[in-house]
Amino acid sequence: MLKCSYENEGGCGSCLFASKTIFHSLSDSSFKELHDNRINLFVKRKQNIFVQGNIPQYVYIVRKGKIKVFIIGENGKEQIIRVAKEGDTLGYRSLLNDDKYFATAVAIEDCELCAVTKTFFFDEIERNPILAKDTLTLLSKQLRISENRMFSLAYKSVKERVAEGVIMLADAYGFDDDGKTISVQLYRKDIADFAGITVETAIRNLNDLRKNNIIEIDNKRITINNEPELRSIANYKG
């Protein structure tokens, strides 16, 4: 079995990453059970973690790497609905709904994940009120984010949505040591899919931001030179 880079001989109970996840409240016995009910996944860039329409079997915890989650519209175009990074949880909403995946998750870069079985997840929720509460809290936060995204797509201008997309990606992935460059390679298509526009329109609006020295673009990396102005353009208070 592929070995988790966070645990030692003590198994999941010794995992240095556990405190960052919704499973932080597990007892020692539950951690031992978790060790037998999870799979270590190492996913290459551009590979799928799960696919829209498939039947869910796991809850995914992102240990390393960055992931985009998107739906495919009727016109076949991707619409990015969220981005995920280290510590984030994926796939749990479809399990809770007892429904097929409503979205697809693809690795933006090489990723390491922990896939926890559906059976263990539900059993632990029944006996662990802290996990149940944390799951509801996470679900509530994701619902609020989804509602904000729906409002943006419905009512904001293209310029606002492009600026908002850059900010949300920066908030999700953080910055390099310079405190300005977003810590992920971003393709113009990703910005377009996030803003719900064509690539050509995304390029035009990104170039406008660049010309005004609000951002810089170099080799698929975006540097934010003036974050207050970018947030003002986006009308974003997240």
Side-chain angles (χ1 to χ4, degrees):
M1 176 185 289
L2 296 172
K3 183 175 176 57
C4 171
S5 59
Y6 283 93
E7 70 180 47
N8 56 34
E9 294 180 358
C12 291
S14 66
C15 178
L16 302 176
F17 188 70
S19 62
K20 300 180 180 180
T21 77
I22 61 170
F23 295 113
H24 68 91
S25 61
L26 267 60
S27 64
D28 290 342
S29 60
S30 290
F31 269 123
K32 290 179 181 178
E33 188 177 345
L34 173 62
H35 189 269
D36 297 326
N37 284 275
R38 64 97 170 95
I39 300 171
N40 292 316
L41 296 181
F42 296 84
V43 183
K44 292 292 186 180
R45 178 176 169 271
K46 291 187 176 182
Q47 285 187 333
N48 294 332
I49 291 94
F50 54 80
V51 177
Q52 183 175 340
N54 285 359
I55 298 174
Q57 297 295 331
Y58 298 97
V59 173
Y60 298 92
I61 304 295
V62 184
R63 293 197 302 247
K64 290 182 180 179
K66 300 173 177 66
I67 295 165
K68 66 177 180 179
V69 182
F70 60 89
I71 57 176
I72 302 295
E74 293 181 359
N75 58 0
K77 180 177 175 59
E78 291 182 9
Q79 175 62 66
I80 297 177
I81 56 176
R82 69 171 292 200
V83 288
K85 63 182 186 305
E86 179 182 306
D88 286 344
T89 306
L90 298 172
Y92 67 98
R93 283 190 291 174
S94 296
L95 284 181
L96 293 173
N97 291 335
D98 193 23
D99 199 0
K100 296 177 180 178
Y101 287 121
F102 77 99
T104 297
V106 174
I108 296 177
E109 60 187 28
D110 292 353
C111 293
E112 180 180 334
L113 302 98
C114 183
V116 180
T117 65
K118 173 181 178 179
T119 300
F120 175 84
F121 181 59
F122 282 134
D123 287 349
E124 188 62 26
I125 281 181
E126 287 186 4
R127 64 194 177 205
N128 186 338
I130 297 177
L131 174 60
K133 179 179 179 297
D134 288 345
T135 301
L136 287 174
T137 299
L138 186 60
L139 187 62
S140 177
K141 289 180 179 179
Q142 286 302 316
L143 179 59
R144 178 174 56 81
I145 291 171
S146 297
E147 289 173 342
N148 289 340
R149 291 288 295 136
M150 290 174 62
F151 176 86
S152 295
L153 292 171
Y155 296 107
K156 286 190 175 183
S157 68
V158 169
K159 183 178 182 180
E160 287 175 318
R161 299 203 311 262
V162 170
E164 180 181 83
V166 175
I167 291 169
M168 292 186 72
L169 290 166
D171 288 347
Y173 297 137
F175 296 101
D176 289 347
D177 291 340
D178 63 5
K180 299 191 300 181
T181 303
I182 301 175
S183 295
V184 66
Q185 284 193 337
L186 295 172
Y187 295 82
R188 287 162 176 81
K189 182 179 182 300
D190 292 330
I191 299 292
D193 291 341
F194 207 89
I197 57 179
T198 65
V199 174
E200 292 76 14
T201 302
I203 291 172
R204 185 163 58 250
N205 281 268
L206 287 169
N207 282 337
D208 287 344
L209 293 173
R210 180 181 57 79
K211 289 175 184 177
N212 290 318
N213 198 34
I214 296 171
I215 66 170
E216 293 177 16
I217 305 174
D218 182 28
N219 193 28
K220 302 183 181 65
R221 303 296 298 278
I222 293 180
T223 299
I224 300 177
N225 293 325
N226 191 338
E227 185 173 344
E229 180 63 20
L230 188 65
R231 288 182 179 272
S232 176
I233 291 172
N235 191 23
Y236 182 75
K237 303 187 173 53

